[in-house]
PDB file of all heavy atoms in Angstrom:
ATOM      1  N   GLY A 238      10.512  26.148  -4.026  1.00  0.00           N
ATOM      2  CA  GLY A 238       9.138  26.470  -4.355  1.00  0.00           C
ATOM      3  C   GLY A 238       8.099  25.555  -3.676  1.00  0.00           C
ATOM      4  O   GLY A 238       7.013  25.358  -4.173  1.00  0.00           O
ATOM      5  N   TYR A 247       7.534  13.843   1.433  1.00  0.00           N
ATOM      6  CA  TYR A 247       8.049  13.017   0.337  1.00  0.00           C
ATOM      7  C   TYR A 247       9.300  12.207   0.728  1.00  0.00           C
ATOM      8  O   TYR A 247       9.511  11.139   0.188  1.00  0.00           O
ATOM      9  CB  TYR A 247       8.382  13.893  -0.871  1.00  0.00           C
ATOM     10  CG  TYR A 247       7.208  14.297  -1.670  1.00  0.00           C
ATOM     11  CD1 TYR A 247       6.757  15.607  -1.716  1.00  0.00           C
ATOM     12  CD2 TYR A 247       6.429  13.357  -2.354  1.00  0.00           C
ATOM     13  CE1 TYR A 247       5.651  15.990  -2.449  1.00  0.00           C
ATOM     14  CE2 TYR A 247       5.315  13.703  -3.025  1.00  0.00           C
ATOM     15  CZ  TYR A 247       4.924  15.025  -3.101  1.00  0.00           C
ATOM     16  OH  TYR A 247       3.801  15.376  -3.810  1.00  0.00           O
ATOM     17  N   VAL A 279      47.570   5.904 -15.214  1.00  0.00           N
ATOM     18  CA  VAL A 279      48.721   6.763 -15.218  1.00  0.00           C
ATOM     19  C   VAL A 279      49.460   6.682 -13.884  1.00  0.00           C
ATOM     20  O   VAL A 279      48.983   6.014 -12.949  1.00  0.00           O
ATOM     21  CB  VAL A 279      48.311   8.245 -15.465  1.00  0.00           C
ATOM     22  CG1 VAL A 279      47.773   8.386 -16.891  1.00  0.00           C
ATOM     23  CG2 VAL A 279      47.300   8.677 -14.453  1.00  0.00           C
ATOM     24  N   PHE A 284      48.344  11.468 -12.408  1.00  0.00           N
ATOM     25  CA  PHE A 284      46.957  11.433 -11.957  1.00  0.00           C
ATOM     26  C   PHE A 284      46.633  12.663 -11.148  1.00  0.00           C
ATOM     27  O   PHE A 284      45.577  13.338 -11.344  1.00  0.00           O
ATOM     28  CB  PHE A 284      46.681  10.173 -11.123  1.00  0.00           C
ATOM     29  CG  PHE A 284      45.318  10.139 -10.560  1.00  0.00           C
ATOM     30  CD1 PHE A 284      44.233   9.669 -11.310  1.00  0.00           C
ATOM     31  CD2 PHE A 284      45.046  10.556  -9.239  1.00  0.00           C
ATOM     32  CE1 PHE A 284      42.963   9.632 -10.764  1.00  0.00           C
ATOM     33  CE2 PHE A 284      43.796  10.526  -8.735  1.00  0.00           C
ATOM     34  CZ  PHE A 284      42.755  10.080  -9.496  1.00  0.00           C
ATOM     35  N   ALA A 316      25.792  13.740  11.743  1.00  0.00           N
ATOM     36  CA  ALA A 316      24.991  12.796  10.987  1.00  0.00           C
ATOM     37  C   ALA A 316      24.112  13.549   9.997  1.00  0.00           C
ATOM     38  O   ALA A 316      23.718  14.683  10.273  1.00  0.00           O
ATOM     39  CB  ALA A 316      24.097  12.004  11.971  1.00  0.00           C
ATOM     40  N   THR A 335      41.749   2.195  -9.694  1.00  0.00           N
ATOM     41  CA  THR A 335      41.641   1.737 -11.087  1.00  0.00           C
ATOM     42  C   THR A 335      42.327   2.654 -12.057  1.00  0.00           C
ATOM     43  O   THR A 335      42.576   2.252 -13.197  1.00  0.00           O
ATOM     44  CB  THR A 335      40.138   1.610 -11.511  1.00  0.00           C
ATOM     45  OG1 THR A 335      39.597   2.919 -11.588  1.00  0.00           O
ATOM     46  CG2 THR A 335      39.370   0.786 -10.472  1.00  0.00           C
ATOM     47  N   MET A 362      38.862  26.454  -0.055  1.00  0.00           N
ATOM     48  CA  MET A 362      37.561  26.934   0.402  1.00  0.00           C
ATOM     49  C   MET A 362      37.716  27.865   1.596  1.00  0.00           C
ATOM     50  O   MET A 362      36.984  28.865   1.707  1.00  0.00           O
ATOM     51  CB  MET A 362      36.643  25.749   0.752  1.00  0.00           C
ATOM     52  CG  MET A 362      36.210  24.946  -0.458  1.00  0.00           C
ATOM     53  SD  MET A 362      35.334  23.406   0.032  1.00  0.00           S
ATOM     54  CE  MET A 362      33.788  24.063   0.613  1.00  0.00           C
ATOM     55  N   ALA A 371      50.348  25.769  -4.798  1.00  0.00           N
ATOM     56  CA  ALA A 371      50.553  24.481  -4.148  1.00  0.00           C
ATOM     57  C   ALA A 371      50.169  23.325  -5.076  1.00  0.00           C
ATOM     58  O   ALA A 371      50.926  22.345  -5.178  1.00  0.00           O
ATOM     59  CB  ALA A 371      49.742  24.390  -2.846  1.00  0.00           C
ATOM     60  N   ALA A 387      60.785   3.553 -10.246  1.00  0.00           N
ATOM     61  CA  ALA A 387      61.329   2.279 -10.725  1.00  0.00           C
ATOM     62  C   ALA A 387      62.766   2.097 -10.275  1.00  0.00           C
ATOM     63  O   ALA A 387      63.291   0.982 -10.294  1.00  0.00           O
ATOM     64  CB  ALA A 387      61.247   2.202 -12.255  1.00  0.00           C
TER      65      ALA A 387
END
Side-chain angles (χ1 to χ4, degrees):
Chain A
Y247 282 113
V279 293
F284 176 83
T335 69
M362 289 172 73

